[in-house]
């Protein structure tokens, strides 16, 4: 029998009613296992079970034999519990056998499930583990802090990375290939005999990022943890199995339940020691499949299911989570708060955030604020069709971002305006000479796309793990152009991101002109199931001068942004007053200035395929604005088509008498007052 059909006739239509929630909503923060002195207290929620048996195992392997079975006791709110002696059960494994009596069909159904609140599991997450989490803490853990805790959101520079991609390349110089520990090896490099170039952690630090966004690293279902490292068995991890446990394939021993926890905590601690905050990519909008343990314990409750018994599929992953139901919401909130508290996570990126609801996100925000201030929240606020189980639910989409406290969302406005639509692979963006995107570029430069009320709600980016990489999208849109021109467009794209108000995010390897190409020589849009040959960061390219140049350009842009106050504004009214756009006579040449107190920057973006020459006196209100701009001020160039830095990149001084700038095709120029 399909587990979701078990209570379709008896209970499915009642799960979202006020009566059901009043009867069965459990509010205490003690589900799962807790250590209480010399006791282990274990609780789970299953309102319609007639019996629950706790099965004990000596190992976490799926084939291990049950050595003991314990009857659990049912109390109020559908909570089942039992108390065990620490000395007899710590470090052993367990799961549940849940027995249902389906009265309407006069049958008994037995299912086996892992604990939805499991903190540790055996290989492939089939069995939970009784564990003392304090024993997994590295030295210094109690004093561990977010190194960027006091940083304003729009001061952050986020770097999105898959754990395995950083170290999978055989030439990375990293020993722990594909593992958590591979993220924190230092003094790794690639060399050709003449020079050696930093890789891994040292490369990331040198780049200047502040926040490392790691693709999902909870326990997910698509990679077999029992197999040796397999270059061709790969997944991004957007298929949750155990939400509160680290993924075993990233550990050095997935069989021992505490190893993955120890190694992840050590990784987070060392990243913090290196000045890097950690953002966790989380996926609460769907699960790997309907065999999810919570769904086994309360059939049909976890998902949005229509009156016809069909699972809602707005996620295009087979099932949509019913976050609007009280115990699903509680589970999501509890999970996020657990990661923030137990693992010192500094931020959360929500996959398909638009399928969750604003009330759930507000509860998460409130809970995180009680743990630590300034924990970052952002996600994909796309509007997707989903079958809600309650009325008057407000989904957490872009259009409702201002109804939530301190939640940011990805800006597809700027992404598509820069490089062209991700849904039309040959659609050209501004950097490729499409003037139809010019107005959107201007709005997004101010951090004010039509759905946002302030820039701290906006994540600016050109590419991320899915869809084509930035460099591949440029190649697909401009098949006839040479490498030099593709590099110019790539540089212009990242310059626009770094010069925009809001929060910038980089796709890992973008600074190395990252490409994803299969063995047939075709660009791969979504490399979720490709091997390391497609997905790994190819460190060898850094031995080539043109790639080193691009890397230095990214590094220089980050340094410039960090050192320019005018790029860190938050008040929309102040922004509108500070920005002055000039008329250049060319829709592909955008010229503007930002004046903030004693700091002024002048920016010229050239999306045209030919150079541009602009007299700043002429374009700013026929000299009126220029008088204010140049009065007592001289300017130097900090960014041009070749270089970017927090210090001037040329000796030329621009003043009231000499203010003509020459901007290379498909590039930018930025002047800043001395």
């Amino acid at each position: 029998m399909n587990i979701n059909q078990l209570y379709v006739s008896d209970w499915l239509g009642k799960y979202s009613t006020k009566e059901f929630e009043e009867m069965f909503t459990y509010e205490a923060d003690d589900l799962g296992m807790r250590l209480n002195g010399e006791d282990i207290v274990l609780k789970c929620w299953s309102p319609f079970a007639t019996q629950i048996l706790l099965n004990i195992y000596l190992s976490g392997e799926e084939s291990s034999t049950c050595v003991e079975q314990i009857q659990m006791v049912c109390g109020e709110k559908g909570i089942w519990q039992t108390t065990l002696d620490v000395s007899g059960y710590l470090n052993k494994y367990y799961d549940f056998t849940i027995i249902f009596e389906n009265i309407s069909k006069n049958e008994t159904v037995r299912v086996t499930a892992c604990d939805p609140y499991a903190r540790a599991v055996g290989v492939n997450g089939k069995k939970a583990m009784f564990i003392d989490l304090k024993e997994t803490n590295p030295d210094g853990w109690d004093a561990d802090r977010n190194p960027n805790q006091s940083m304003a959101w729009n001061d952050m520079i986020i770097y999105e990375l898959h754990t395995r991609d950083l170290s999978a390349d055989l030439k990375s110089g990293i020993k722990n290939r594909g593992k958590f520990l591979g993220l924190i090896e230092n003094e790794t490099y690639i060399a050709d005999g003449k020079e050696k170039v930093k890789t891994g952690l040292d490369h990331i630090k040198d780049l200047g990022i502040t926040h490392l966004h790691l693709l999902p690293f909870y326990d997910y279902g698509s990679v077999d943890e029992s197999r040796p490292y397999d270059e061709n068995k790969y997944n991004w991890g957007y298929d949750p199995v155990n939400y509160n446990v680290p993924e075993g394939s990233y550990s050095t021993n997935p069989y021992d339940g505490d190893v993955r926890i120890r190694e992840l905590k050590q990784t987070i601690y060392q990243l913090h020691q290196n000045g890097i905050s950690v953002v966790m990519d989380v996926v609460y909008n769907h699960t790997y499949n309907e065999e999810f343990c919570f769904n086994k314990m309360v059939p049909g409750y976890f998902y949005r299911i229509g009156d016809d018994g069909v699972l809602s599929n707005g996620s295009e992953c087979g099932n949509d989570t019913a976050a609007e139901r009280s115990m699903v919401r509680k589970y999501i909130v509890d999970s996020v708060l657990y990661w923030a508290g137990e693992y010192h996570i500094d931020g959360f990126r929500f996959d398909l955030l638009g399928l969750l609801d604003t009330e759930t996100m507000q509860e998460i925000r409130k809970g995180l604020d009680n743990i630590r201030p300034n924990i970052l929240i952002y996600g994909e606020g796309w509007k997707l069709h989903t079958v809600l189980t309650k009325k008057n639910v407000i989904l957490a989409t872009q259009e409702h971002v201002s109804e939530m406290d301190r939640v940011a969302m990805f800006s597809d406005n700027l992404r598509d305006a820069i490089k062209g639509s991700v849904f039309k692979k040959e659609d050209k963006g501004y950097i490729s000479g499409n003037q139809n995107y010019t107005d959107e570029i201007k709005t997004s430069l101010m951090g004010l796309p039509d759905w946002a009320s302030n820039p701290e709600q906006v994540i600016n980016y050109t590419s991320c793990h899915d869809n084509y990489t930035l460099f591949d999208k440029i190649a697909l849109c401009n098949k006839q152009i040479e490498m030099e021109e593709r590099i110019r467009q790539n540089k212009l794209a990242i310059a626009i991101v770094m010069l925009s108000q809001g929060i910038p995010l980089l796709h890992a390897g973008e600074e190395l002109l990252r490409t994803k190409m299969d063995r047939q020589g075709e660009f791969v849009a979504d490399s979720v199931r490709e091997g390391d040959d497609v997905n790994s960061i190819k460190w060898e390219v850094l031995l080539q001068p043109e790639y080193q140049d691009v890397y230095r350009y990214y590094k220089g842009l980050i340094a410039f942004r960090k050192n320019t106050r005018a790029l860190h504004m938050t008040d929309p009214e102040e922004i509108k007053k500070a920005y002055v756009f000039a008329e250049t006579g060319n829709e592909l040449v955008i010229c503007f200035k930002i004046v903030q107190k004693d700091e002024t920057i002048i920016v010229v973006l050239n999306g045209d395929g030919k150079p541009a020459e602009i007299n700043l006196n002429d374009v700013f209100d026929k000299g009126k604005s220029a008088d204010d701009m140049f009065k007592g001020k001289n300017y130097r160039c900090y960014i041009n088509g070749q270089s970017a830095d927090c210090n001037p990149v040329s000796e030329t001084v621009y003043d009231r008498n000499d203010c003509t700038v020459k901007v290379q095709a498909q590039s930018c120029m930025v002047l800043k007052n001395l």
Side-chain angles (χ1 to χ4, degrees):
M1 176 182 293
N2 184 324
I3 194 69
N4 295 314
Q5 302 299 319
L6 183 57
Y7 280 100
V8 167
S9 59
D10 296 335
W11 286 103
L12 189 57
K14 302 176 183 179
Y15 280 152
S16 293
T17 63
K18 181 179 179 181
E19 293 75 17
F20 178 89
E21 295 203 332
E22 287 178 348
M23 186 179 299
F24 292 116
T25 296
Y26 182 71
E27 297 180 349
D29 184 26
D30 60 358
L31 290 174
M33 65 147 288
R34 296 289 189 278
L35 294 183
N36 183 14
E38 296 301 312
D39 292 331
I40 297 172
V41 179
L42 181 63
K43 293 184 179 181
C44 64
W45 184 69
S46 186
F48 308 121
T50 55
Q51 187 179 5
I52 295 184
L53 303 173
L54 172 65
N55 307 309
I56 305 297
Y57 306 87
L58 299 181
S59 82
E61 296 183 49
E62 189 172 3
S63 60
S64 58
T65 302
C66 176
V67 297
E68 185 180 2
Q69 204 166 54
I70 299 166
Q71 185 91 25
M72 298 186 73
V73 177
C74 185
E76 294 183 350
K77 303 290 186 179
I79 299 297
W80 296 75
Q81 72 177 70
T82 191
T83 301
L84 308 170
D85 179 64
V86 167
S87 61
Y89 293 92
L90 196 63
N91 298 323
K92 290 183 179 179
Y93 295 82
Y94 69 96
D95 62 19
F96 302 121
T97 296
I98 308 101
I99 301 171
F100 300 98
E101 300 292 339
N102 193 335
I103 298 172
S104 65
K105 296 187 178 181
N106 193 29
E107 62 182 342
T108 299
V109 179
R110 300 168 65 97
V111 296
T112 300
C114 189
D115 183 356
Y117 277 82
R119 308 308 195 198
V121 296
V123 65
N124 285 323
K126 300 298 184 182
K127 294 176 173 58
M129 179 185 182
F130 296 114
I131 190 170
D132 184 351
L133 287 166
K134 291 182 179 179
E135 295 299 316
T136 65
N137 295 342
D139 293 340
W141 188 246
D142 289 343
D144 179 59
R145 298 291 183 273
N146 176 2
N148 301 300
Q149 187 161 306
S150 60
M151 180 177 286
W153 284 23
N154 60 349
D155 292 345
M156 300 172 181
I157 312 287
I158 304 171
Y159 189 80
E160 185 217 47
L161 173 72
H162 185 284
T163 296
R164 186 158 152 171
D165 292 355
L166 188 77
S167 55
D169 182 12
L170 288 168
K171 296 181 180 180
S172 68
I174 298 171
K175 296 178 182 177
N176 288 287
R177 293 180 59 225
K179 307 300 181 184
F180 289 128
L181 297 180
L183 296 171
I184 54 173
E185 290 184 33
N186 53 23
E187 298 184 6
T188 62
Y189 58 87
I190 186 168
D192 65 355
K194 298 179 181 178
E195 63 176 327
K196 58 183 183 181
V197 181
K198 295 175 183 177
T199 63
L201 175 61
D202 290 345
H203 168 91
I204 294 172
K205 284 177 59 181
D206 189 55
L207 184 60
I209 63 105
T210 64
H211 286 65
L212 182 62
H213 162 168
L214 293 172
L215 266 60
F217 55 80
Y218 51 68
D219 185 49
Y220 60 82
S222 50
V223 173
D224 185 355
E225 298 173 358
S226 69
R227 298 178 62 181
Y229 188 88
D230 183 347
E231 285 81 356
N232 296 312
K233 192 64 176 176
Y234 180 96
N235 203 277
W236 288 333
Y238 292 92
D239 48 359
V241 171
N242 291 292
Y243 278 102
N244 302 306
V245 182
E247 164 62 16
S249 67
Y250 298 150
S251 74
T252 59
N253 182 3
Y255 289 88
D256 189 340
D258 72 345
V259 173
R260 62 183 77 189
I261 299 173
R262 292 176 185 273
E263 292 178 349
L264 176 56
K265 286 183 175 180
Q266 181 64 32
T267 298
I268 293 168
Y269 178 77
Q270 289 298 331
L271 287 169
H272 283 174
Q273 292 295 300
N274 281 278
I276 298 173
S277 305
V278 179
V279 175
M280 181 181 187
D281 202 324
V282 290
V283 187
Y284 294 107
N285 64 84
H286 71 272
T287 63
Y288 181 39
N289 56 34
E290 292 78 70
E291 293 298 306
F292 178 50
C293 49
F294 195 121
N295 195 43
K296 286 185 172 183
M297 302 196 74
V298 193
Y301 181 82
F302 200 78
Y303 303 117
R304 293 171 181 155
I305 303 177
D307 294 337
D308 56 1
V310 176
L311 288 156
S312 178
N313 191 25
S315 64
E316 295 187 7
C317 296
N319 51 67
D320 292 346
T321 299
E324 63 273 17
R325 289 177 174 153
S326 63
M327 289 301 286
V328 179
R329 175 177 293 140
K330 173 179 171 55
Y331 182 76
I332 294 171
V333 174
D334 286 351
S335 178
V336 173
L337 301 189
Y338 172 71
W339 282 104
E342 184 65 34
Y343 287 88
H344 301 181
I345 300 298
D346 309 307
F348 295 88
R349 179 269 191 191
F350 284 78
D351 179 66
L352 299 185
L353 176 58
L355 288 176
L356 302 181
D357 61 285
T358 58
E359 185 176 344
T360 298
M361 297 311 299
Q362 285 296 85
E363 286 198 22
I364 289 171
R365 178 76 275 166
K366 182 179 178 180
L368 290 176
D369 287 347
N370 289 332
I371 294 175
R372 281 191 311 281
N374 210 33
I375 294 177
L376 181 63
I377 298 177
Y378 61 96
E380 296 176 302
W382 321 136
K383 189 174 183 179
L384 304 168
H385 175 72
T386 187
V387 180
L388 293 167
T389 69
K390 292 183 178 181
K391 295 180 180 179
N392 302 317
V393 173
I394 301 174
L395 293 174
T397 57
Q398 284 178 342
E399 63 184 318
H400 297 126
V401 66
S402 295
E403 297 173 42
M404 296 174 284
D405 182 25
R406 286 168 295 140
V407 173
M409 295 187 175
F410 285 93
S411 176
D412 52 338
N413 303 62
L414 183 60
R415 178 199 68 196
D416 289 355
I418 288 175
K419 66 179 184 179
S421 171
V422 298
F423 302 110
K424 301 175 183 177
K425 67 179 181 180
E426 296 185 6
D427 180 45
K428 294 183 178 183
Y430 172 80
I431 61 172
S432 299
N434 187 347
Q435 67 183 32
N436 293 327
Y437 285 115
T438 298
D439 288 343
E440 188 62 64
I441 292 286
K442 289 180 179 179
T443 304
S444 294
L445 282 163
M446 300 169 70
L448 298 172
D450 55 8
W451 48 267
S453 59
N454 70 74
E456 288 195 316
Q457 296 172 336
V458 182
I459 300 291
N460 292 316
Y461 73 119
T462 63
S463 63
C464 62
H465 63 278
D466 54 9
N467 305 120
Y468 292 107
T469 68
L470 170 60
F471 194 67
D472 291 350
K473 171 67 170 171
I474 291 170
L476 285 164
C477 293
N478 306 273
K479 295 179 180 179
Q480 305 305 317
I481 67 175
E482 300 295 329
M483 181 70 166
E484 180 184 354
E485 187 173 347
R486 292 179 183 179
I487 290 175
R488 290 205 307 267
Q489 291 189 27
N490 201 102
K491 285 182 173 181
L492 178 57
I494 186 58
I496 294 171
V497 168
M498 287 297 166
L499 295 170
S500 295
Q501 303 293 341
I503 308 166
L505 178 143
L506 304 176
H507 177 213
E510 187 180 306
E511 74 281 10
L512 308 179
L513 305 177
R514 186 175 185 178
T515 185
K516 294 182 181 179
M517 186 175 289
D518 62 23
R519 293 175 183 176
Q520 287 72 46
E522 298 292 330
F523 294 121
V524 178
D526 293 307
S527 60
V528 57
R529 295 180 184 85
E530 301 290 337
D532 292 331
D533 56 335
V534 171
N535 284 292
S536 64
I537 293 177
K538 311 300 189 296
W539 294 105
E540 191 172 24
V541 300
L542 272 175
L543 297 174
Q544 301 176 40
E546 62 267 37
Y547 287 85
Q548 291 181 11
D549 173 68
V550 173
Y551 171 70
R552 285 191 295 268
Y553 197 79
Y554 272 70
K555 179 180 175 180
L557 284 170
I558 290 172
F560 178 81
R561 180 181 176 86
K562 286 182 175 180
N563 285 275
T564 303
R565 296 188 307 278
L567 297 175
H568 302 266
M569 303 171 72
T570 57
D571 186 304
E573 295 307 314
E574 182 185 359
I575 290 170
K576 291 172 184 176
K577 291 178 182 178
Y579 274 69
V580 178
F581 285 90
E583 291 295 332
T584 65
N586 184 340
E587 284 294 308
L588 288 170
V589 179
I590 300 172
C591 180
F592 64 98
K593 68 174 182 175
I594 313 173
V595 181
Q596 192 190 41
K597 297 181 180 178
D598 61 341
E599 183 177 76
T600 301
I601 67 170
I602 304 167
V603 179
V604 182
L605 304 174
N606 184 10
D608 204 344
K610 56 187 178 183
E613 184 173 305
I614 297 176
N615 184 298
L616 298 174
N617 282 333
D618 293 340
V619 298
F620 282 107
D621 297 332
K622 301 299 181 183
K624 179 182 177 182
S625 181
D627 286 337
D628 297 333
M629 183 169 63
F630 287 107
K631 188 175 181 179
K633 297 177 182 177
N634 294 324
Y635 292 79
R636 295 276 293 277
C637 178
Y638 287 73
I639 301 170
N640 58 28
Q642 287 73 42
S643 304
D645 202 351
C646 56
N647 298 307
V649 298
S650 76
E651 297 297 324
T652 304
V653 176
Y654 298 87
D655 58 24
R656 187 69 175 81
N657 298 314
D658 184 11
C659 56
T660 298
V661 296
K662 297 178 181 179
V663 186
Q664 184 181 9
Q666 298 160 324
S667 71
C668 78
M669 178 173 282
V670 179
L671 309 182
K672 186 176 177 182
N673 63 296
L674 299 175

